[in-house]
Amino acid sequence: MFGKSELVKNVIHKSNMKFEDILNKVKEILRKTYGFNLLIVETAKGRDKNYIVSNALPYVSDPDDDVNNEYPPDANKILLLLILTHTFMMNNSVSEVSLVGFLKKLGIDVEAKHPIFGNVKDYIAKTLVKKHYLNVTGDPITKIQTFSWGPAAETEISMQAILEFVCRVYKNRQPKDWINQFQIASKQNFRNKPEERNFDSLQ
């Protein structure tokens, strides 16, 4: 992750172009040439904007992976899907207690090492939060943590696909049955390009 001040210091003073013009050109080159998205990460009011790069290419499995391995090397995508689904269906704001309880109902104990997903608690804190698939906020008084979708998830993963997944689980339900979630998903589809919202793009 890097900040706007770093870009200005190391790039702008060497160019006659405006910051926004340079940033747009960088976004275009990163995407078309290297297969990366450049994302803005929300920061505290009055502070520099921060930026991260995120994979924009579809996931392709490695044919050299051990075919005899009982679990796929990207099994944690399943865990991410479950976490983002629960968060989204809770109107994109879920307490740590609610998330832990949801996972426990599925036989996933965050306090114990899972045979497939490993250390789930570390995965959430050190991978999903650190890589901005989840945002986390904490109440200074109650110390309760709340999770929501991060900018990487917003850009790479389709809320519409999440909603369709929920419909398959419940059966005989349509995305429009969840009015609030359907509206949010529709807005995301309007904002982002289809290739940026493929769940399989997650590495």
Side-chain angles (χ1 to χ4, degrees):
M1 184 163 56
F2 51 92
K4 180 177 179 179
S5 58
E6 295 175 88
L7 291 177
V8 173
K9 177 182 177 182
N10 294 293
V11 178
I12 301 299
H13 77 282
K14 299 178 182 178
S15 171
N16 292 323
M17 296 175 65
K18 294 181 180 179
F19 176 80
E20 293 300 327
D21 293 335
I22 292 178
L23 193 63
N24 289 334
K25 189 65 177 177
V26 168
K27 286 181 178 180
E28 181 181 4
I29 294 173
L30 281 174
R31 179 166 184 80
K32 292 184 177 179
T33 306
Y34 299 102
F36 288 106
N37 290 316
L38 183 65
L39 308 178
I40 299 175
V41 179
E42 293 297 327
T43 58
K45 188 175 181 180
R47 296 182 61 185
D48 275 350
K49 289 181 179 179
N50 285 330
Y51 302 85
I52 61 171
V53 289
S54 174
N55 182 29
L57 298 177
Y59 173 76
V60 179
S61 59
D62 187 347
D64 295 328
D65 283 341
D66 184 2
V67 296
N68 295 318
N69 191 351
E70 185 177 358
Y71 305 116
D74 56 352
N76 276 348
K77 285 184 182 180
I78 299 170
L79 181 57
L80 174 60
L81 172 61
L82 293 173
I83 291 171
L84 290 180
T85 297
H86 180 62
T87 305
F88 179 56
M89 298 308 293
M90 296 293 288
N91 292 315
N92 200 26
S93 180
V94 61
S95 70
E96 183 179 18
V97 173
S98 175
L99 180 58
V100 168
F102 167 74
L103 293 174
K104 195 166 186 176
K105 287 181 180 178
L106 299 176
I108 305 171
D109 186 350
V110 301
E111 299 296 339
K113 187 174 182 179
H114 193 273
I116 299 176
F117 305 124
N119 191 323
V120 176
K121 195 171 186 177
D122 278 357
Y123 175 69
I124 293 173
K126 297 180 180 179
T127 299
L128 299 188
V129 173
K130 186 176 180 180
K131 292 187 177 181
H132 304 285
Y133 287 99
L134 284 178
N135 287 329
V136 59
T137 56
D139 188 301
I141 299 175
T142 64
K143 306 300 181 184
I144 294 176
Q145 288 189 322
T146 302
F147 296 99
S148 60
W149 280 40
E154 287 270 5
T155 302
E156 294 183 15
I157 299 171
S158 168
M159 290 178 175
Q160 185 68 36
I162 293 288
L163 197 51
E164 290 171 359
F165 166 71
V166 173
C167 288
R168 290 197 297 271
V169 172
Y170 278 88
K171 299 178 180 179
N172 301 319
R173 299 292 295 270
Q174 299 297 320
K176 289 184 179 180
D177 292 341
W178 286 275
I179 298 174
N180 190 44
Q181 285 82 359
F182 181 76
Q183 289 176 344
I184 295 172
S186 298
K187 289 178 182 178
Q188 185 201 34
N189 288 343
F190 179 78
R191 287 199 309 266
N192 299 334
K193 297 178 181 179
E195 63 269 26
E196 292 176 332
R197 295 181 284 103
N198 187 348
F199 180 77
D200 286 341
S201 69
L202 176 64
Q203 293 283 358

